[in-house]
Amino acid sequence: GVLFIAMRYVAGQDVRALIDREGKLPVARTVEIVAQVASALDTAHASGLVHRDVKPANMLLASVSDGSTADHVYLSDFGLSKQSLSSPSLTRTGQFLGTLDYMSPEQISGRVVDGKTDLYALGCTAFEMLTGQPPFRREANLAVMWAQVSAEPPSVRRWRPELSPAVDDVIGAALAKSPEDRQSTCTEFA
């Protein structure tokens, strides 16, 4: 009579460790990881669930790619997930659920969350995989929150000038402050 989540043991590392070790990831590997996570998120969203804590540390890599073998990515830690149309993301006054570097403006504002919340976090994660740092890196938590709510997304090309300008357009849409201005699904973003 108690709800629980059972998950297989995944030997390998998470994307956080990969970024910490390698810094900026190759575009193809980033797209491969994002596409798998996007598919998992869209499946959860189709069931009415929102993850609310999408970040590199919750993306488990079953094997480290040797360049010829693709990673198999598991999206983990659905412990903060909730029904998409339930109450806002605050559990008690002033207490947030999620990780600030990937938290959407609607989570910070305490508004109702849906799949677009996870899309925003996936956009933040993709930005970090491509540049080696989250898009709204600041010294203080309050400054990160302010940036998530009101600052324009920085250009990926500032750190990766060799990439197409289209990368900034795609990631910029995923990081739109209004959920309605983001892509329709995580797979569309990927």
Side-chain angles (χ1 to χ4, degrees), residues 96-109:
F96 290 96
L97 295 177
T99 306
L100 274 180
D101 282 332
Y102 315 96
M103 193 175 285
S104 70
E106 58 271 21
Q107 279 178 287
I108 291 170
S109 301

Side-chain angles (χ1 to χ4, degrees), residues 147-169:
Q148 294 286 31
V149 171
S150 60
E152 289 298 314
S155 170
V156 172
R157 295 183 71 230
R158 176 178 170 201
W159 291 270
R160 302 282 298 269
E162 75 278 9
L163 298 181
S164 165
V167 171
D168 283 334
D169 295 338

Side-chain angles (χ1 to χ4, degrees), residues 61-148:
L61 302 173
S63 64
V64 177
S65 179
D66 60 6
S68 65
T69 307
D71 295 305
H72 184 86
V73 184
Y74 291 93
L75 180 60
S76 69
D77 198 4
F78 277 82
L80 295 182
S81 67
K82 67 186 296 180
Q83 293 295 319
S84 63
L85 298 177
S86 57
S87 64
S89 62
L90 294 173
T91 55
R92 292 191 298 259
T93 303
Q95 183 179 11
F96 290 96
L97 295 177
T99 306
L100 274 180
D101 282 332
Y102 315 96
M103 193 175 285
S104 70
E106 58 271 21
Q107 279 178 287
I108 291 170
S109 301
R111 297 190 312 259
V112 174
V113 299
D114 63 13
K116 301 279 186 109
T117 299
D118 290 340
L119 171 57
Y120 183 92
L122 186 59
C124 289
T125 300
F127 183 100
E128 185 172 2
M129 285 191 275
L130 291 170
T131 67
Q133 67 180 10
F136 300 106
R137 169 75 36 99
R138 303 291 192 274
E139 292 296 319
N141 286 344
L142 190 57
V144 173
M145 289 171 53
W146 179 87
Q148 294 286 31

